[in-house]
Amino acid sequence: MSNKKNITAPEHEFLGFGKSFAYGLQHVLTMYGGIIAPPLIIGAASGFNSLQIAQLITASLFIGGLATILQTIGIKYFGARLPLVQGVSFASVGTMVGIATTGGGFNVVLGAVMGAAVIGLIIAPFFAKIIRFFPPIVTGCVITIIGISLMPVAVRWIMGGNSKAPDFGSVENIGLAAMTLIILLILSKIGNETLRRLSILASIVIGTILAAILGFGNFSNVTQGAWFAVPEFLSFGAPVFHLPAILAMLIATVVILTETTADIIAVSEIVETKVDDKRIADGLRADMLSSAVAPLFGTFMQSAFAQNVGLVAMTGVKSRFVVAAGGAILVLLGLLPIMGRIVSAVPMPVLGGAGLVLFGSVAASGIRSLGKIDYSQQKNMIIVATSLAVGMIPLANNEFYAQFPTWFKTLFHSGISATCIMAVCLNIMFNHMGIKKKTLTADQLAKSVIKKTIH
């Protein structure tokens, strides 16, 4: 019976090698900019040259691919077996930059990541027990804010990606993004189901070709440099373990565990499959094991990518084997720098045009979940309104928490973690604390009064 269930469950459906790799490539293109940004930022903060930063990027692609395969295919105790793409987490970038610049240097960063990840691996099963505190009212808030918080990423891509570039925000960049968006909408309207599901990838490919014809982007570096390179073990030296750095990274790790839990729950709702605390624990353990191994190859903390949750919602392709194929492509990109250079040559405005629909679909999935909530109960309205409002604070003004302690800023600088923390706390306060009272709707209250009057 269980085998039959596994075959029919959407996430366990195998679409064939051709479709799996085509859809998997969509996932790679969607998260490529996000996975290479952290090594660029941390490498620059560590004073690395361009060759060393290129090594960081290669290692990040390679480990991200292996982590994705572990998360999607899974082994005993490791992997949620859901369509989740793994990569270097943005939540820990600020902490790592601080350690690199004032806390001992790059090798201390690697030691902090490894130490915090090992602790995260130990606490993952206990952390997963909070699943009962994630009812639809909480997950709906978190999924909605995931989509909203990704919008600034899409906007930066549309404007060109690099705020220091002279053409950042130019009409040409925005026009190229608009053209990609229009192509995506046209392809989504076409009746062919395969083309509809590949609309994100197709719009990026067509947009890139049109961009090259119009003179956008720089494709001259694609053939320069090595074609094959294996990430070296301890290429940057051994990790150095400093307790203060590990403790600082542990706060970021808690945020990552929270966000990955939210992503697991979000993708399970999109896929329409149930997850329990065991499955969440398996997913978190895969996260932390990958993060513990990553510093040995010169890369950083791994987590699930929220933007790829949006791609699952957008395309309706729910197979975990599609994402596993994406992981294999990431491994290939880590071994073949030329392939990485081809993907990195895709103009940011093209990615931004597709990203608008992509990230918007995440928010739409959250709104759909919130639409099932009974708002005649005032407490539900308060939980949703306050949680979303708190999550919007760092998006509206990223300096809002500037005067707060570092640990607080680490937890609340992300709209996702802020919403998650607030929604969980309010749900506990309203639904789990004190004397449980049955809350009556207006209609139930009226019937109760009439009944008492009659008697």
Side-chain angles (χ1 to χ4, degrees):
M1 181 65 72
S2 61
N3 287 338
K4 186 177 179 182
K5 228 174 155 186
N6 284 341
I7 293 171
T8 56
E11 71 268 30
H12 300 310
E13 181 185 4
F14 180 63
L15 304 179
F17 288 103
K19 286 185 177 180
S20 293
F21 276 92
Y23 294 142
L25 182 57
Q26 282 195 135
H27 279 282
V28 172
L29 289 171
T30 300
M31 54 85 72
Y32 190 84
I35 201 172
I36 67 171
L40 281 170
I41 296 168
I42 298 161
S46 302
F48 285 178
N49 59 38
S50 58
L51 180 59
Q52 290 172 311
I53 291 176
Q55 284 183 278
L56 290 180
I57 292 173
T58 300
S60 296
L61 293 169
F62 182 73
I63 295 298
L66 293 178
T68 300
I69 293 171
L70 176 62
Q71 187 70 270
T72 52
I73 301 301
I75 57 176
K76 191 172 184 180
Y77 302 123
F78 295 94
R81 293 177 174 84
L82 287 167
L84 289 163
V85 177
Q86 302 290 117
V88 178
S89 170
F90 256 105
S92 57
V93 168
T95 303
M96 289 189 286
V97 168
I99 295 171
T101 54
T102 63
F106 184 76
N107 293 85
V108 176
V109 171
L110 297 180
V113 170
M114 183 177 288
V118 170
I119 296 172
L121 186 59
I122 295 169
I123 67 173
F126 306 102
F127 199 88
K129 296 292 183 182
I130 67 172
I131 180 66
R132 71 190 188 92
F133 298 119
F134 282 82
I137 194 168
V138 173
T139 57
C141 288
V142 173
I143 297 167
T144 301
I145 206 69
I146 286 174
I148 294 172
S149 65
L150 288 170
M151 280 302 166
V153 176
V155 171
R156 281 196 298 273
W157 289 352
I158 289 170
M159 297 176 75
N162 181 7
S163 60
K164 296 181 180 178
D167 65 341
F168 185 72
S170 66
V171 174
E172 290 79 10
N173 280 346
I174 296 172
L176 178 58
M179 182 175 65
T180 305
L181 175 60
I182 291 170
I183 292 169
L184 192 159
L185 295 175
I186 292 172
L187 292 175
S188 298
K189 179 68 175 174
I190 293 175
N192 185 285
E193 183 181 353
T194 301
L195 188 55
R196 261 201 326 270
R197 289 185 166 188
L198 284 170
S199 59
I200 298 287
L201 173 61
S203 65
I204 291 173
V205 171
I206 296 171
T208 301
I209 293 171
L210 292 176
I213 294 171
L214 296 172
F216 284 90
N218 181 11
F219 301 90
S220 61
N221 295 327
V222 170
T223 57
Q224 295 181 6
W227 284 46
F228 181 86
V230 179
E232 296 179 29
F233 186 75
L234 296 180
S235 59
F236 295 95
V240 176
F241 301 98
H242 284 183
L243 183 59
I246 293 173
L247 292 176
M249 188 59 65
L250 187 58
I251 296 174
T253 302
V254 171
V255 175
I256 290 167
L257 289 171
T258 302
E259 291 187 352
T260 298
T261 299
D263 287 336
I264 290 173
I265 294 171
V267 82
S268 72
E269 291 203 0
I270 292 168
V271 172
E272 297 178 339
T273 191
K274 289 185 178 181
V275 295
D276 53 15
D277 57 351
K278 179 182 177 299
R279 199 168 184 182
I280 291 175
D282 290 346
L284 296 180
R285 274 192 289 257
D287 242 16
M288 293 297 104
L289 178 62
S290 304
S291 299
V293 172
L296 299 176
F297 292 88
T299 187
F300 317 107
M301 194 72 73
Q302 304 290 303
S303 71
F305 267 51
Q307 53 262 51
N308 292 87
V309 175
L311 186 58
V312 175
M314 169 71 187
T315 62
V317 180
K318 302 173 181 179
S319 170
R320 62 191 172 99
F321 298 108
V322 164
V323 177
I329 294 171
L330 284 173
V331 172
L332 182 64
L333 291 175
L335 296 173
L336 299 173
I338 186 173
M339 295 298 292
R341 292 194 292 271
I342 291 172
V343 177
S344 64
V346 175
M348 282 292 175
V350 171
L351 293 176
L356 275 182
V357 177
L358 196 59
F359 302 157
S361 66
V362 181
S365 296
I367 292 169
R368 182 178 61 184
S369 295
L370 291 176
K372 301 173 184 176
I373 305 301
D374 180 10
Y375 291 103
S376 64
Q377 298 188 34
Q378 188 186 21
K379 64 179 183 179
N380 290 337
M381 181 68 76
I382 290 173
I383 293 171
V384 173
T386 308
S387 301
L388 292 179
V390 170
M392 289 292 292
I393 288 174
L395 300 176
N397 189 334
N398 59 11
E399 298 295 323
F400 187 86
Y401 298 115
Q403 304 301 318
F404 284 71
T406 301
W407 66 267
F408 190 93
K409 286 190 289 186
T410 303
L411 286 172
F412 282 83
H413 87 287
S414 164
I416 299 171
S417 57
T419 296
C420 189
I421 292 167
M422 184 57 63
V424 169
C425 290
L426 290 178
N427 179 57
I428 292 172
M429 186 175 80
F430 281 100
N431 295 318
H432 294 274
M433 290 178 65
I435 300 171
K436 291 187 177 179
K437 295 180 180 180
K438 185 178 179 182
T439 305
L440 299 177
T441 64
D443 185 51
Q444 290 171 329
L445 184 61
K447 289 180 178 177
S448 176
V449 171
I450 291 171
K451 187 175 179 182
K452 287 180 182 179
T453 304
I454 293 173
H455 289 285

